[in-house]
Amino acid sequence: MRLFHCRPHRVPVLLCALLALAAGPAAAAPDPGGPGDSGGPSAGAEVAQLYEDASAAAQQYETTRRAAKAHEARARKLEGLLARERREIAALHGDLGRIARAQYRSGGGLPRTAQLLLADSPEDLIRGQQAVWQADLAVDNAVSKSRRAEARLSADEKKAAAAWRALAERNGKLAQLKRDIAQKLDRARWKLQGEADRSAATGKCRKAVRLKQRKTRATRAWVAPVKSYRLSAGFDSVGQHWAHRHTGQDFAVPIGTPVRAAGAGSVVSVSCGGAFGIEVVVQHSGGYYTQYAHLAAVTVTKGQQVRAGQWVGQSGTTGNSTGPHLHFEVRLTPNWGSEVDPKRWLKERGVRLRP
């Protein structure tokens, strides 16, 4: 079944929509990252920008894919209408044959001299001639209508086919764009992790990465420390990687994922090295502290005030870590050893973590 046929009077609308979708992808936004230690764009800023680019490319791809699917469904419906038009054209051709045969039987094919000889009276001749003229006019109209319908159908089929090809080409370009960004993102993530490992090994933190975070109106006092995640090791679980028990909640996320302050507060420490690798601790009202550990980069400094949802770092796998994730703790003091169940603590504040 050819899916690019379109009913003539509805084709322009469909073609406009397809050609609009077939336009090139939007230009990427400029890099919002700030300078790192080297004075140029930091790996953290590069990763953050690539996350934005990947998200934008994925949204464009999904929008185009959904639009193509919707137009394909519409094309399937139009196929039935086109089939009816083809039957009408076939009927026109049949009408032409019947008109021609009727014209021949009524004398339309006889020479004028023969018609004069065979006519019984002038009135019969005039009536016969009028019938012939009417038959000629019917033939001309039928032929003209058939030719117009066939030409319109042929032109619409060609235009629709070109629009579908353009849409398919755009989908291909967007898919390649996604692959290219994914490759760049993977390289940038490990570049960021390499910088983080060197900082953790020396115990000397790099400068805070200044990332341009989108301004959003805060609607909640408390949020999860990362947006997209998979929960891994939970609070108080046991395993060979911990001396006694697990003291926080782990969120499995890729390297470079923005880590958010769970609530408003003040940064009381930023440190590198040790079992937690690169970490940030924030003090909140009510006597609670939150810790964000195994980071690849920090985006805040000691003493800085933060709001709920503000980025405090980027996830990584520094310190005693077997893979990229965020280790999140809630404490009664800024120091290790005073932990409470972070999942329950967040739930009490209206934040329910997904599995």
Side-chain angles (χ1 to χ4, degrees):
M1 178 185 291
R2 292 181 297 173
L3 300 179
F4 52 79
H5 296 144
C6 299
R7 190 172 180 82
H9 67 280
R10 296 179 65 178
V11 165
V13 176
L14 176 60
L15 290 177
C16 289
L18 291 175
L19 292 173
L21 287 168
D31 186 349
D37 287 347
S38 61
S42 70
E46 182 181 1
V47 169
Q49 180 60 50
L50 285 169
Y51 270 123
E52 291 289 326
D53 293 345
S55 176
Q59 289 176 7
Q60 289 183 35
Y61 182 83
E62 287 303 308
T63 298
T64 305
R65 184 189 62 79
R66 287 193 297 268
K69 190 173 182 179
H71 286 301
E72 182 178 344
R74 186 184 300 177
R76 291 181 186 277
K77 293 180 181 179
L78 291 176
E79 181 66 25
L81 298 176
L82 286 169
R84 187 176 68 184
E85 287 187 352
R86 295 189 193 97
R87 289 194 296 270
E88 292 174 354
I89 290 175
L92 284 173
H93 291 168
D95 290 343
L96 286 173
R98 286 191 295 272
I99 292 171
R101 289 192 295 271
Q103 186 182 27
Y104 180 78
R105 286 194 298 270
S106 64
L110 292 175
R112 186 177 298 274
T113 303
Q115 293 180 33
L116 288 171
L117 293 174
L118 293 175
D120 294 332
S121 67
E123 290 77 9
D124 290 340
L125 177 61
I126 292 173
R127 284 194 296 270
Q129 191 62 50
Q130 288 175 342
V132 170
W133 288 340
Q134 291 174 354
D136 287 341
L137 181 61
V139 170
D140 290 343
N141 287 339
V143 170
S144 178
K145 183 178 180 180
S146 176
R147 287 176 177 173
R148 287 197 303 270
E150 290 175 344
R152 190 166 54 240
L153 181 63
S154 176
D156 288 341
E157 287 177 348
K158 292 179 181 178
K159 291 178 181 178
W164 281 114
R165 285 195 299 270
L167 183 61
E169 182 180 355
R170 171 170 165 76
N171 269 337
K173 289 181 178 179
L174 283 172
Q176 183 60 49
L177 177 63
K178 285 174 61 181
R179 289 192 292 270
D180 292 344
I181 292 175
Q183 292 175 358
K184 292 179 181 178
L185 182 57
D186 187 60
R187 291 193 296 267
R189 282 171 178 162
W190 289 109
K191 177 183 176 183
L192 173 63
Q193 184 60 44
E195 294 176 352
D197 288 338
R198 289 190 290 272
S199 296
T202 60
K204 183 179 180 180
C205 293
R206 292 169 56 86
K207 292 180 180 178
V209 179
R210 296 304 181 185
L211 303 179
K212 185 177 180 181
Q213 182 178 356
R214 293 180 181 177
K215 290 184 178 180
T216 56
R217 190 173 181 179
T219 57
R220 302 183 63 180
W222 302 95
V223 298
V226 285
K227 282 189 175 181
S228 298
Y229 56 84
R230 178 181 58 82
L231 294 181
S232 48
F235 179 72
D236 216 19
S237 55
V238 295
Q240 60 180 350
H241 303 297
W242 312 295
H244 302 288
R245 60 184 178 84
H246 194 236
T247 54
Q249 174 64 58
D250 285 352
F251 296 79
V253 289
I255 295 170
T257 299
V259 175
R260 311 184 295 175
S266 175
V267 178
V268 294
S269 69
V270 175
S271 59
C272 302
F276 289 118
I278 299 175
E279 61 170 325
V280 172
V281 177
V282 177
Q283 181 181 12
H284 306 279
S285 60
Y288 290 100
Y289 298 80
T290 53
Q291 180 213 30
Y292 312 83
H294 303 312
L295 302 177
V298 296
T299 60
V300 292
T301 55
K302 183 178 179 179
Q304 181 177 336
Q305 297 295 316
V306 294
R307 63 184 184 279
Q310 182 176 337
W311 295 347
V312 297
Q314 292 173 281
S315 63
T317 182
T318 54
N320 184 15
S321 172
T322 58
H325 73 283
L326 168 68
H327 176 84
F328 175 72
E329 288 189 9
V330 178
R331 300 171 175 173
L332 299 177
T333 72
N335 304 312
W336 179 82
S338 60
E339 304 80 20
V340 297
D341 186 345
K343 194 171 182 180
R344 180 181 301 172
W345 186 83
L346 286 171
K347 183 178 179 181
E348 291 172 352
R349 285 154 181 78
V351 180
R352 293 180 178 271
L353 299 180
R354 304 183 305 274

